[in-house]
Amino acid sequence: MATIELENVVKRYCMGDVTVTALRGVSLGIAQGEFTAIMGASGSGKSTLMNILGCLDRPSSGIYRLDGERVGELDRDRLAEIRNQKIGFVFQSFNLLARTSALENVELPMLYAGVPAEERRRRAAAALQAVGLAGREHHYPNQLSGGQQQRVAIARSLVNRPRIIMADEPTGALDSATSIEVMAIFQKLNREQGITLVLVTHEPDIAAYADRVLHFRDGRIVQDERVAAPRVAARELSGREEAAA
Amino acid sequence: MNLSASLRIALRSLRVNKLRSALTMLGIIIGVGAVIAMVAIGAGATARIQSEIASIGSNVIIVLSGSMNRGGVHLGTGAASTLTENDAEAIAAECPSVQAAAPAVRGAGLVVYGNSNWSTSIQGTTPAYLDIREIAIAQGRAFTSHDVDSAAKVAWLGKTVADKLFGGADPVGQVVRIRQVPITVAGVLAAKGQTPTGQDQDDVVLLPISSAKRKVLGVNLANANAVQSIMVQARGPEIMKQAEEETAALLRQRHRLAAGADDDFNIRNMEEVFSAQETSARVMSILLAAIASVSLIVGGIGIMNIMLVSVTERTREIGLRQSMGAKTGDILTQFLVEATTLSVLGGVIGIVLGFAASALVSYLAGWSTRLGPWPVLMAFAFSVIVGVSFGYYPARKAAYLDPIDALRFE
């Protein structure tokens, strides 16, 4: 059974007296453990789809089932609970809290899950270690590089052990070398922990790391492509190290 | 999310904008400080009036010889000397609610010592008067019933009289002339200060009632036994009314007044007289506190204003927290706790400053101030209420932000 199922999802926005249709009937299934990239120009509706998949927004019509649950009918607080328990978010601009240490940033989702303080600390430290930031727990975001900040954000997204991670242009603010490092972490999470990954990007290079690429145009999926041989970020990284040596 | 976590987040965000937080708190600080200082000053004034009333003596009723009805014409209080020394004795002996009763005659006259003189009030009474009025003898010997029985030519001077006539010298044993009559000074009374109406209670000369009547003021020709007033002390504050009724009944019976006839005496309860003054002081302090609480409301508006700015500034943070799973209640709590922390912190500082201000006022202006635990608790509770009520709208605004709009906010 697909963990994400969309049936003819439509999303309209009212902007004054103009109604903008951002999604014009999207039907889609994403299986557990799949690494899917969503590509498209800006305004193609890919961010709208991302918001609906991430339970930040509800479809105007159509059905969205997440693990069999119809999300369209849930209220604000139940949606918040689902985001807290099932979904991790990674943003283009990292969205870390300033003047808050890396550790406390990572603790944030657990705060809303009611995890006791000691366990929060332990799990946050473990998540930071998993993204290669052991020893940086008490650094503030402004003391970390862009790549490190995004890794803190990834640690934060996976600390509540979500089944799905939604990444919205996660490499948009990073240089290409750092982008590969970030993609390596995503691929590792996907391969080793079976986390379903949905990645929104407009860079074909980045989409090439995914197993499946959905192309969006004018609020519709125009192409659903299975990637036969995705790029492997870890291999590229080690290759680069060899070249440097 | 629990409250201690909310409190930590609130304190952190308040620390980030130290100056802004301090300025926001200033409104509450001034408001609470003003309320505390005003209440302290008002309560001090009330307490001062109460102590003045107490200086008259506690539980005191004054019986004045009263109005007479002569041929249909009502003559005023004191027009006839209807009270006697025997009435005083009877009241003390027969009324169960009465602790003591002292008759008094009064007159004015010149007191001379050497080349100094002083016009003062001359009062003839019995030793019970000193007990009722709670007057102590500062120097010299005690006033005894023997002085009354023997009509001794002795007097006790009030502090003011002693100072005017003798300066710093010791008056005890000296002979003064009161209305030309040589009288030996037996002692000096301890200072009592002013009455609530501003009369100097120390500007008096006290004599045994017998000596006053026979030797100084002159005897009432109609009734040698007559006195102008009787001071009656009830056994407790709760039985004042009872003592009044018993005294009235006894006097009516002794004076053989028919049922329906007017009293030939007047009873004054001193506490009733001065309670009006006390009420006005209380009204004043309530008024001052009301004005001060207006500034507390202004302070609350300041908090609301800053919280609204803060919500706008932190829209992205709110969106992020929402995407991490913060529920409406979590965001609401976070901002409410922040607003309440501001107002409570301001309240505590205000209480401390209010204490300091009232201490300063009593030091500089010499007004007595008094501060019990209730105004402090009230001020504290009020600042909590201000924080919660003025913080609610901004917090609600934050809690109901759309997560997508909030995340995209620039």
Side-chain angles (χ1 to χ4, degrees):
Chain A
M1 192 190 81
T3 184
I4 291 173
E5 279 179 285
L6 296 183
E7 275 176 42
N8 200 25
V9 164
V10 174
K11 182 69 193 180
R12 287 184 211 91
Y13 291 107
C14 286
M15 293 175 141
D17 41 359
V18 187
T19 304
V20 178
T21 308
L23 293 179
R24 299 165 188 273
V26 175
S27 297
L28 172 68
I30 295 176
Q32 176 64 40
E34 236 178 344
F35 183 174
T36 309
I38 301 172
M39 285 198 66
S42 61
S44 60
K46 61 184 196 302
S47 290
T48 306
L49 179 71
M50 178 85 167
N51 290 336
I52 288 175
L53 293 180
C55 295
L56 289 165
D57 207 350
R58 278 173 285 207
S60 305
S61 70
I63 295 166
Y64 170 29
R65 279 196 207 88
L66 180 64
D67 287 332
E69 189 169 17
R70 282 178 67 153
V71 172
E73 287 129 35
L74 301 176
D75 65 10
R76 277 179 80 94
D77 282 352
R78 179 77 189 117
L79 285 179
E81 225 166 272
I82 289 179
R83 290 196 296 269
N84 186 253
Q85 297 301 322
K86 294 191 175 173
I87 303 168
F89 288 91
V90 179
F91 304 97
Q92 178 175 4
S93 51
F94 322 138
N95 276 341
L96 298 179
L97 296 183
R99 300 183 196 86
T100 305
S101 70
L103 193 72
E104 285 173 296
N105 263 296
V106 175
E107 280 184 33
L108 202 60
M110 292 187 284
L111 211 59
Y112 298 113
V115 177
E118 222 166 284
E119 191 187 340
R120 276 205 310 263
R121 195 125 303 196
R122 191 168 47 72
R123 272 164 63 177
L128 280 172
Q129 194 171 15
V131 296
L133 285 178
R136 308 270 171 157
E137 288 89 349
H138 300 289
H139 285 55
Y140 289 98
N142 58 6
Q143 297 169 314
L144 297 170
S145 71
Q148 288 170 329
Q149 287 186 53
Q150 193 61 300
R151 280 192 273 167
V152 173
I154 293 169
R156 181 180 62 187
S157 74
L158 60 88
V159 77
N160 252 1
R161 301 176 187 128
R163 308 250 303 210
I164 306 161
I165 287 179
M166 302 273 170
D168 189 1
E169 305 269 12
T171 58
L174 303 176
D175 61 42
S176 57
T178 319
S179 297
I180 297 171
E181 286 172 19
V182 166
M183 293 317 294
I185 294 171
F186 279 137
Q187 283 190 325
K188 186 167 166 242
L189 289 172
N190 177 242
R191 299 279 135 81
E192 291 177 8
Q193 300 184 24
I195 292 173
T196 310
L197 266 168
V198 179
L199 176 99
V200 166
T201 182
H202 63 272
E203 293 170 82
D205 285 359
I206 296 300
Y209 290 100
D211 304 327
R212 180 184 179 190
V213 182
L214 299 169
H215 294 268
F216 251 75
R217 192 182 298 148
D218 299 329
R220 284 192 187 89
I221 298 172
V222 290
Q223 194 190 342
D224 184 352
E225 169 192 11
R226 299 273 163 184
V227 180
R231 289 174 70 181
V232 180
R235 199 181 301 151
E236 289 170 24
L237 281 177
S238 63
R240 208 172 51 183
E241 272 159 27
E242 277 162 29
Chain B
M1 190 166 60
N2 59 27
L3 210 62
S4 77
S6 306
L7 198 66
R8 250 203 340 273
I9 294 170
L11 285 176
R12 189 207 306 273
S13 79
L14 294 179
R15 258 203 310 275
V16 166
N17 289 304
K18 280 193 199 72
L19 182 63
R20 191 164 84 179
S21 306
L23 288 174
T24 310
M25 275 192 279
L26 205 57
I28 296 290
I29 292 173
I30 291 171
V32 169
V35 169
I36 291 286
M38 294 306 169
V39 168
I41 290 167
T46 310
R48 189 175 51 83
I49 289 166
Q50 277 167 346
S51 83
E52 280 170 357
I53 291 168
S55 79
I56 293 170
S58 50
N59 316 324
V60 171
I61 300 159
I62 297 175
V63 187
L64 294 168
S65 64
S67 73
M68 285 260 291
N69 185 344
R70 244 185 224 140
V73 178
H74 287 278
L75 301 174
T77 299
S81 298
T82 51
L83 297 174
T84 65
E85 289 175 48
N86 299 338
D87 284 338
E89 281 164 27
I91 292 168
E94 290 173 36
C95 298
S97 305
V98 170
Q99 168 89 35
V105 292
R106 190 168 307 167
L110 192 68
V111 184
V112 180
Y113 175 73
N115 54 5
S116 7
N117 64 77
W118 186 249
S119 265
T120 187
S121 142
I122 295 158
Q123 180 131 4
T125 187
T126 62
Y129 181 82
L130 294 181
D131 297 335
I132 295 170
R133 298 276 322 268
E134 291 166 14
I135 300 172
I137 290 169
Q139 279 171 271
R141 67 173 178 86
F143 182 14
T144 64
S145 55
H146 182 71
D147 294 320
V148 179
D149 298 341
S150 62
K153 287 166 79 172
V154 290
W156 284 261
L157 306 185
K159 183 82 172 54
T160 307
V161 179
D163 287 347
K164 294 292 177 189
L165 292 179
F166 291 91
D170 183 5
V172 178
Q174 304 296 327
V175 176
V176 294
R177 295 166 74 84
I178 302 175
R179 280 192 168 186
Q180 309 294 349
V181 183
I183 304 272
T184 306
V185 176
V188 176
L189 305 174
K192 285 284 275 182
Q194 291 187 349
T195 64
T197 47
Q199 282 168 331
D200 184 358
Q201 298 184 81
D202 301 322
D203 191 1
V204 70
V205 172
L206 226 58
L207 293 151
I209 190 163
S210 46
S211 331
K213 282 207 272 193
R214 281 178 236 156
K215 291 167 182 156
V216 180
L217 298 174
V219 179
N220 185 320
L221 294 174
N223 182 358
N225 219 353
V227 296
Q228 286 157 352
S229 63
I230 299 172
M231 272 223 174
V232 177
Q233 184 174 38
R235 286 189 190 274
E238 68 287 348
I239 52 172
M240 292 275 285
K241 201 80 215 158
Q242 211 174 318
E244 242 183 272
E245 281 160 12
E246 286 168 9
T247 304
L250 182 71
L251 288 176
R252 286 186 72 87
Q253 184 201 332
R254 286 179 59 85
H255 295 182
R256 297 197 171 79
L257 298 174
D262 286 346
D263 287 347
D264 61 353
F265 52 88
N266 282 294
I267 294 184
R268 300 235 170 114
N269 180 339
M270 295 315 279
E271 263 149 76
E272 269 169 20
V273 174
F274 296 116
S275 73
Q277 209 168 352
E278 204 183 327
T279 307
S280 73
R282 196 168 293 145
V283 166
M284 195 67 186
S285 75
I286 288 169
L287 215 67
L288 288 172
I291 292 168
S293 57
V294 168
S295 75
L296 209 53
I297 290 170
V298 174
I301 294 170
I303 287 185
M304 181 136 120
N305 190 13
I306 283 304
M307 289 312 295
L308 283 172
V309 170
S310 176
V311 168
T312 308
E313 273 179 0
R314 283 150 70 194
T315 302
R316 272 178 80 91
E317 178 195 322
I318 295 163
L320 173 75
R321 288 178 184 277
Q322 286 173 328
S323 74
M324 300 286 131
K327 292 180 188 168
T328 316
D330 294 326
I331 304 284
L332 192 77
T333 310
Q334 182 188 333
F335 281 89
L336 262 186
V337 166
E338 200 171 315
T340 311
T341 305
L342 270 177
S343 71
V344 165
L345 229 58
V348 169
I349 297 171
I351 287 168
V352 172
L353 283 185
F355 262 109
S358 61
L360 198 69
V361 162
S362 59
Y363 175 73
L364 291 180
W367 298 353
S368 63
T369 56
R370 182 172 291 194
L371 205 53
W374 280 113
V376 174
L377 284 177
M378 288 281 288
F380 186 77
F382 215 71
S383 55
V384 173
I385 292 167
V386 163
V388 172
S389 51
F390 284 94
Y392 183 75
Y393 173 68
R396 202 190 130 83
K397 205 179 144 186
Y400 284 95
L401 279 174
D402 185 69
I404 300 165
D405 292 343
L407 272 171
R408 266 200 222 119
F409 186 82
E410 294 298 329

